[in-house]
Amino acid sequence: SHQFSFNKDLEKFALKLEKISPSLTRSNHNGFHSDYLDINVPLIKKFYDAIKPSVYDYTKSLNIEKPYDLHFNKPWFNVNRKGASNMAHNHPDNFLAATYYIKTPPRCGDLCFLSPRCPNLFNLRYSTYTHENSSFWKIAPKEGKLIIFPADILHAVETNQSNKARISLSFNVNIKQGN
């Protein structure tokens, strides 16, 4: 968890964009998807600097041969008010996808993952369902939580049943390997 001191600033920025700009139509159903943000905006740059170590930790676990650079691209805000959701989708032409939770009232919609794998191991019962042992699993959103996952995995967001907005900042990550 990364409850950043600038969380409130991210929330204000997202809500301001929702108010003054039209929503892009991507996977969002009744929700707001901001235009892609300029990575050089000081608040977005501050955000990237703060989460960069977590993204590097995740990529280390993948055993990628060094040297390599992370390239953050196409950040955007999602504001899902009551009744809003995101249909199943993935992020083509990207290596990783990530979402950071800014505001998460109760019952605001879990992040759901759908795996294309269907081995026999799905017939067993597990204490915790993960991408290793299931074809479908969920993560409850929590303020300050950063979720990083392979960009090709199909994912969706359940309908927000709360009267308050669910706000997140999502982005993609690509890796450029050196020689």
Side-chain angles (χ1 to χ4, degrees):
S1 252
H2 305 78
Q3 198 68 32
F4 297 125
S5 58
F6 51 88
N7 237 39
K8 262 287 183 234
D9 297 330
L10 288 169
E11 181 182 345
K12 282 181 194 154
F13 189 22
L15 293 174
K16 179 184 168 191
L17 288 175
E18 180 194 28
K19 197 172 281 183
I20 66 169
S21 56
S23 177
L24 298 185
T25 303
R26 297 296 184 266
S27 68
N28 46 318
H29 176 71
N30 295 329
F32 173 76
H33 181 306
S34 77
D35 206 344
Y36 298 108
L37 306 165
D38 183 347
I39 296 172
N40 298 310
V41 168
L43 182 59
I44 302 304
K45 190 168 177 356
K46 188 191 279 190
F47 168 76
Y48 275 148
D49 289 343
I51 54 106
K52 204 178 275 188
S54 298
V55 178
Y56 268 111
D57 286 347
Y58 182 89
T59 58
K60 274 185 213 153
S61 75
L62 301 175
N63 301 308
I64 300 163
E65 216 170 272
K66 292 177 182 166
Y68 62 85
D69 292 317
L70 298 180
H71 292 274
F72 295 93
N73 67 348
K74 288 192 164 183
W76 70 94
F77 286 112
N78 293 295
V79 180
N80 281 9
R81 295 191 178 274
K82 188 172 188 153
S85 62
N86 292 74
M87 295 177 280
H89 65 286
N90 61 9
H91 300 206
D93 304 320
N94 290 287
F95 186 67
L96 299 174
T99 194
Y100 173 75
Y101 295 107
I102 299 165
K103 197 86 179 154
T104 58
R107 300 181 355 271
C108 67
D110 287 355
L111 176 60
C112 305
F113 292 96
L114 300 94
S115 170
R117 299 173 58 214
C118 291
N120 289 337
L121 60 91
F122 294 158
N123 297 328
L124 302 172
R125 287 187 305 279
Y126 299 90
S127 56
T128 302
Y129 289 90
T130 69
H131 69 285
E132 295 294 336
N133 64 18
S134 33
S135 59
F136 178 83
W137 69 101
K138 296 180 183 188
I139 296 177
K142 186 171 174 278
E143 282 170 30
K145 193 175 197 176
L146 176 68
I147 308 292
I148 305 167
F149 53 94
D152 63 328
I153 292 183
L154 273 179
H155 55 286
V157 176
E158 293 176 324
T159 302
N160 182 354
Q161 296 174 28
S162 160
N163 289 321
K164 294 192 171 121
R166 172 194 200 273
I167 305 171
S168 61
L169 175 55
S170 297
F171 57 94
N172 296 309
V173 180
N174 284 305
I175 293 179
K176 188 166 179 5
Q177 224 164 9
N179 298 339

